[in-house]
Amino acid sequence: MEKKITNIRRNILRQAFMNAVLDKGDKGIHYDDVIKTMEKTVEFTDRELSLNPSGAVRWKVFLPFGIIPPVKFGWLKRDKGIFWMTEKGKAALSMDPAAMSDEIKKLWHEWKLTNSDGDDESEDDNEVEAPAAQASDPEFFLETPAHLTNERTVFKRVDYDLAGLLHYIDIGDIGLPDIQRPFVWTAAKVRDLFDSMHRGFPVGYLLFWSNAGAEGTRFIGTNDKARKVPHLLIVDGQQRLTALYAVFRGIKVLDQDYKEKQIEIAFRPRDGKFEVSDAAIKKDPEFISNISELWSANKSSYALVDEFLKRLSEKRVLTDKHKEVISHSLDRLFDLQKYPFTALEISPSVDEEQVADIFVRINSLGVKLNQGDFILTLLSVFWDDGRKELEHFCHDSRIPTTGTKPSSFNHFIQPDPDQLLRVEVATGFYRGRLKIVYQLLRGKDLETGQFSSTTREEQFSILKQAQKLVLDLSNWHGFFNCLIGAGFRSKDLISSETCLIYCYVFYLLGKTKFKIPQEKLQSLISRYFFSASISNRYAGSFESTIEADLNRVKDLTAADGFTSALEKIIADTLTKDFWDIALPNALDSSSAQNPAYYAYLASQNKLGVLVLFSKNRTISDMLDPTVRANRKTLEKHHLFPRAWLEEEGVTDLKLINQVANFALIDWSINAEISDTAPEEYVKEMKEHFDAPQWIRMCQLHALPDGWEAMRYEDFLVKRRSLMAQIIKQGYESIK
């Protein structure tokens, strides 16, 4: 049994009491009924129930709940055991929590000065006064939780049919707030949504924010709207409504790459089957290839059914039963306009930060969002221009440049906003865990746990400065020169975008904080990226790894210290055992995304290696990302052809497709070799080279002497070791 009612608990009970009174309006409520009403919103402890041993709910029960102050201040009115809420009480409930605390303190001390004899309003001898220690302490009724200072709920339930929702989107009365994400659903998911609705299944509720004065909103679709400012903003349900709107109106929407996208869903009436439309479906008379036509044709359901049956009858023999089934199925599809939706509308009195918090809470329990999404939510509320800058930068990185205008477009990465946010928070806060940064940007002091608008503004100031550095195009493209300097020509050789963005962090720190000269910085970051990539440094628990790496440099002030810290990380990674043991073992893989194999190709780029069996074409030239052809100029060639290996009894694809069995050669030579035995085609190729050329070419392609006649498994072991040596040579060639 609890021995004490804490101040926080007392605030909750007092607020529940006042809300119980408020709910009864002008009729008031007798204190015999208050507890019953309160029980709907709070669960009483044994200690609280023990205050009422006689079973009669009397005034003494409410004293420890902190009810005296609201009565003394005139917020509650009491007469013969009945309570009413006064206008002063309603005004008090609407106060900001801090302002309410100040008002209570002031009124309490004023009351104490004029009522030194204490409480004299007991109704009979069985009622008692408030304990002196509690009644004399203003903290007895302070610290009311902020979410209890206003209405009991911050939303109301509203029912819609789909036609009504689409109409409100048409005129712009329902809009999209910037705390939402782009349309990311696949066409298959849209198909499944329509299938569920057609079957009469529930598809979830919607959450709107009622705020007629909202700014910074987008509209669903790409057409113009009648209203400039929407009355309802979608907090949860954007993907569903966007999908429905796109299909019902046949309107294109903007996808996550900022491109217009048409969604076409097909329907087969005879069995109610939905499909994503394709060329074959468009030729099948049993399908309506694009159901958008049903609603955009401005025809009655009768006319549409009649047209479909006539068209199908030309290809199929339809019985009366067939026609009945098809007609019923089409009627159900057409009537999806009447499909019911329930929406919860958040009150317009709720501010942007609370809406953002609601959005985060809802989606953290349902839609999978990462911490970067949460931070983007805060950017939408407190720094909308910053979010737009991120989105535009990401958009431009996907579009090849024309003319001389600088752009974020590159051949290495098409970043998403949350990836750039990681760079910003690492650069600005020396943090790798975005969860902590989300708390910081909400204004939380990590030591005290208190939230402050001043703290929030300070943290956003840091983020703004970091974003300025991250989105600076000279920094952006300067970093990519480091990747080229390490032999990595394009994203085709990038095994981890996470590794890339965190190496960008150290480039920015080296350039802007430590002022390292560009030539020296490029060499340092080139080698750092090489070592981080080949070792998979930022895989797995990468947030912990980057935070540990940032801790090594965050307190440094001199360039030499920064350089030494990164050099030590490189040295601790690329040890003798790494080159001799770990790296050959890492090459024991059939994965197409093997970081060690990418490092091997990058090293061949750095060393200027000629294409296998070529006298003048380098691998670097043939991997130029600016050259695009219908067929890749270079192809991965099985040194021991697959068909030949299978004839020799090697059938395990993981063994056949080992990276040590691949070499890049010209596609025409690859086609010529086909499934010829290694000894046969090598003998023919060798005739085109003199001895020194052949020996040099085999060395740079990590091919052991006489490899074509070796046992396959022995060849793989030997070549992995030689490939590791090529990688080491490539790393050591970085200047």
Side-chain angles (χ1 to χ4, degrees):
M1 181 182 295
E2 294 177 320
K3 297 181 179 180
K4 182 180 179 181
I5 300 179
T6 65
N7 284 342
I8 294 176
R9 176 62 176 173
R10 186 176 295 109
N11 289 329
I12 294 173
L13 293 171
R14 184 183 67 248
Q15 192 65 48
F17 177 92
M18 295 178 72
N19 278 325
V21 177
L22 181 62
D23 283 349
K24 294 299 180 178
D26 294 335
K27 294 181 179 179
I29 185 171
H30 195 276
Y31 53 48
D32 284 338
D33 298 321
V34 170
I35 295 296
K36 296 177 184 177
T37 306
M38 291 173 67
E39 284 176 338
K40 296 177 182 178
T41 56
V42 297
E43 183 176 350
F44 290 99
T45 66
D46 291 341
R47 167 61 177 166
E48 291 157 1
L49 292 175
S50 72
L51 297 172
N52 185 26
S54 67
V57 181
R58 307 300 288 169
W59 176 236
K60 65 180 179 182
V61 178
F62 302 131
L63 299 184
F65 293 179
I67 303 306
I68 287 180
V71 175
K72 297 301 183 185
F73 300 163
W75 296 352
L76 292 179
K77 187 175 180 182
R78 180 169 64 98
D79 182 36
K80 298 186 182 300
I82 297 178
F83 291 86
W84 293 272
M85 179 70 72
T86 67
E87 291 302 316
K88 288 176 65 176
K90 294 176 183 177
L93 282 175
S94 65
M95 286 183 185
D96 175 83
M100 187 175 185
S101 294
D102 292 338
E103 183 69 4
I104 288 176
K105 288 179 180 178
K106 183 185 72 171
L107 292 174
W108 176 257
H109 288 295
E110 290 177 357
W111 180 83
K112 282 291 291 178
L113 290 174
T114 58
N115 295 272
S116 59
D117 292 335
D119 181 13
D120 59 359
E121 293 194 25
S122 296
E123 289 188 340
D124 57 47
D125 294 337
N126 292 325
E127 294 181 338
V128 298
E129 298 177 355
Q134 294 177 338
S136 62
D137 183 3
E139 294 303 318
F140 171 52
F141 46 86
L142 297 179
E143 303 177 356
T144 302
H147 65 282
L148 294 179
T149 60
N150 294 305
E151 295 84 358
R152 181 171 298 168
T153 58
V154 297
F155 65 89
K156 64 180 179 180
R157 170 179 169 168
V158 181
D159 293 326
Y160 295 91
D161 61 22
L162 181 55
L165 287 171
L166 297 176
H167 170 71
Y168 292 134
I169 294 173
D170 276 332
I171 65 175
D173 209 27
I174 294 178
L176 173 67
D178 277 346
I179 64 172
Q180 278 285 18
R181 299 169 294 166
F183 183 70
V184 296
W185 271 17
T186 62
K189 197 161 186 177
V190 178
R191 173 203 64 199
D192 293 343
L193 173 65
F194 273 87
D195 181 67
S196 294
M197 293 171 62
H198 189 258
R199 293 170 181 266
F201 294 169
V203 293
Y205 68 88
L206 306 170
L207 191 64
F208 294 151
W209 179 26
S210 177
N211 195 340
E215 297 180 357
T217 57
R218 298 192 294 264
F219 292 106
I220 297 175
T222 57
N223 56 344
D224 293 331
K225 305 294 180 181
R227 295 186 187 273
K228 299 301 181 183
V229 178
H231 173 65
L232 295 175
L233 304 180
I234 306 169
V235 177
D236 194 45
Q238 176 213 349
Q239 302 297 315
R240 277 166 290 161
L241 279 182
T242 302
L244 292 169
Y245 188 73
V247 174
F248 271 83
R249 294 295 188 258
I251 291 178
K252 296 178 180 180
V253 295
L254 295 177
D255 65 14
Q256 57 186 343
D257 290 327
Y258 307 89
K259 297 178 181 178
E260 290 191 347
K261 178 179 180 180
Q262 190 84 50
I263 303 171
E264 293 187 0
I265 303 299
F267 179 69
R268 189 165 61 194
R270 68 173 170 82
D271 58 1
K273 186 177 182 62
F274 289 88
E275 290 287 1
V276 177
S277 188
D278 57 22
I281 285 175
K282 290 179 180 179
K283 296 178 181 178
D284 190 337
E286 290 208 28
F287 273 95
I288 296 174
S289 62
N290 184 0
I291 60 176
S292 298
E293 298 170 359
L294 292 177
W295 301 286
S296 62
N298 293 321
K299 295 181 180 179
S300 67
S301 60
Y302 176 83
L304 290 167
V305 170
D306 187 57
E307 287 180 6
F308 180 80
L309 290 174
K310 286 180 179 178
R311 187 167 64 250
L312 185 58
S313 296
E314 296 174 358
K315 305 291 184 180
R316 304 276 191 275
V317 175
L318 298 178
T319 66
D320 290 342
K321 181 64 175 177
H322 291 153
K323 293 179 181 179
E324 181 182 351
V325 170
I326 290 172
S327 297
H328 178 67
S329 184
L330 281 172
D331 282 339
R332 282 181 61 83
L333 177 61
F334 192 80
D335 285 345
L336 285 184
Q337 299 173 100
K338 302 175 183 176
Y339 186 90
F341 278 91
T342 294
L344 305 179
E345 292 185 6
I346 301 174
S347 167
S349 64
V350 177
D351 62 27
E352 289 87 347
E353 185 174 10
Q354 288 176 299
V355 172
D357 191 37
I358 292 170
F359 173 77
V360 167
R361 289 174 184 239
I362 288 173
N363 284 283
S364 63
L365 296 175
V367 178
K368 292 183 178 179
L369 295 180
N370 56 42
Q371 293 294 336
D373 293 314
F374 296 170
I375 294 176
L376 287 171
T377 297
L378 290 179
L379 260 63
S380 297
V381 174
F382 298 112
W383 187 33
D384 187 50
D385 288 343
R387 174 167 180 156
K388 289 177 179 177
E389 285 179 359
L390 279 176
E391 291 176 337
H392 292 158
F393 190 91
C394 294
H395 168 252
D396 292 346
S397 73
R398 290 158 165 77
I399 303 175
T401 55
T402 56
T404 59
K405 185 178 179 180
S407 164
S408 57
F409 177 77
N410 65 91
H411 295 289
F412 293 95
I413 185 173
Q414 296 176 344
D416 293 323
D418 65 304
Q419 290 178 305
L420 295 180
L421 271 174
R422 287 194 176 276
V423 182
E424 291 177 17
V425 299
T427 305
F429 299 99
Y430 290 89
R431 293 283 190 173
R433 295 181 176 87
L434 292 189
K435 181 178 181 180
I436 293 177
V437 178
Y438 174 72
Q439 294 172 346
L440 289 172
L441 294 179
R442 289 184 64 206
K444 183 177 182 179
D445 186 310
L446 297 181
E447 293 185 3
T448 65
Q450 299 298 313
F451 288 89
S452 162
S453 59
T454 301
T455 302
R456 183 181 66 229
E457 291 172 2
E458 292 172 350
Q459 304 298 359
F460 263 96
S461 178
I462 295 173
L463 187 70
K464 291 176 182 180
Q465 291 300 316
Q467 180 158 307
K468 185 177 181 181
L469 298 177
V470 172
L471 303 189
D472 184 288
L473 291 178
S474 63
N475 294 339
W476 182 244
H477 292 293
F479 168 67
F480 294 133
N481 288 333
C482 298
L483 304 188
I484 295 172
F488 296 82
R489 291 295 306 270
S490 70
K491 64 181 179 181
D492 291 338
L493 298 183
I494 302 299
S495 61
S496 168
E497 290 187 346
T498 302
C499 180
L500 184 151
I501 64 171
Y502 282 143
C503 288
Y504 184 35
V505 171
F506 288 107
Y507 174 82
L508 290 172
L509 292 175
K511 180 180 179 180
T512 61
K513 179 179 179 180
F514 296 100
K515 311 296 182 184
I516 299 176
Q518 182 63 28
E519 185 176 351
K520 185 177 180 180
L521 179 62
Q522 180 170 323
S523 172
L524 175 64
I525 300 301
S526 294
R527 289 183 290 110
Y528 187 80
F529 176 78
F530 197 109
S531 68
S533 177
I534 197 174
S535 64
N536 251 341
R537 185 172 189 82
Y538 297 114
S541 302
F542 60 86
E543 285 192 341
S544 299
T545 304
I546 184 61
E547 193 144 311
D549 291 344
L550 290 168
N551 283 335
R552 298 172 185 243
V553 301
K554 71 176 182 179
D555 295 326
L556 301 176
T557 56
D560 289 345
F562 176 79
T563 301
S564 297
L566 265 59
E567 293 283 11
K568 187 175 190 314
I569 293 176
I570 295 171
D572 290 345
T573 301
L574 305 182
T575 62
K576 185 177 186 304
D577 284 347
F578 175 84
W579 294 119
D580 296 343
I581 301 173
L583 186 54
N585 288 340
L587 289 164
D588 184 2
S589 170
S590 61
S591 171
Q593 304 295 321
N594 188 289
Y597 181 63
Y598 285 158
Y600 170 73
L601 297 179
S603 296
Q604 288 189 312
N605 282 339
K606 282 294 294 177
L607 297 172
V609 175
L610 294 173
V611 174
L612 185 62
F613 307 138
S614 173
K615 291 185 177 181
N616 52 25
R617 306 176 75 180
T618 66
I619 288 177
S620 178
D621 291 339
M622 304 311 292
L623 289 179
D624 187 342
T626 62
V627 177
R628 297 295 178 190
N630 292 333
R631 181 169 183 173
K632 284 189 174 182
T633 307
L634 291 184
E635 293 184 344
K636 285 200 302 184
H637 162 63
H638 285 85
L639 293 166
F640 285 71
R642 173 179 173 177
W644 183 84
L645 283 171
E646 289 176 340
E647 289 181 2
E648 295 294 311
V650 180
T651 58
D652 186 350
L653 286 179
K654 289 185 178 180
L655 190 59
I656 293 172
N657 292 331
Q658 285 282 301
V659 295
N661 191 31
F662 285 122
L664 292 181
I665 66 173
D666 188 276
W667 68 269
S668 59
I669 297 177
N670 193 27
E672 182 182 337
I673 292 173
S674 185
D675 57 358
T676 307
E679 286 187 275
E680 293 182 24
Y681 79 75
V682 168
K683 181 180 179 180
E684 183 179 340
M685 293 296 169
K686 199 171 183 179
E687 295 176 355
H688 300 287
F689 299 86
D690 58 33
Q693 286 178 325
W694 181 260
I695 292 172
R696 180 61 175 164
M697 181 181 66
C698 287
Q699 289 175 341
L700 292 175
H701 281 276
L703 295 171
D705 186 35
W707 64 270
E708 67 275 15
M710 293 177 69
R711 181 170 165 272
Y712 181 58
E713 287 79 359
D714 295 338
F715 161 76
L716 292 177
V717 173
K718 182 63 176 176
R719 190 168 190 242
R720 289 181 197 122
S721 179
L722 294 176
M723 290 173 73
Q725 292 179 28
I726 293 295
I727 296 172
K728 186 177 181 182
Q729 290 179 40
Y731 169 74
E732 292 174 344
S733 71
I734 298 174
K735 303 298 183 182

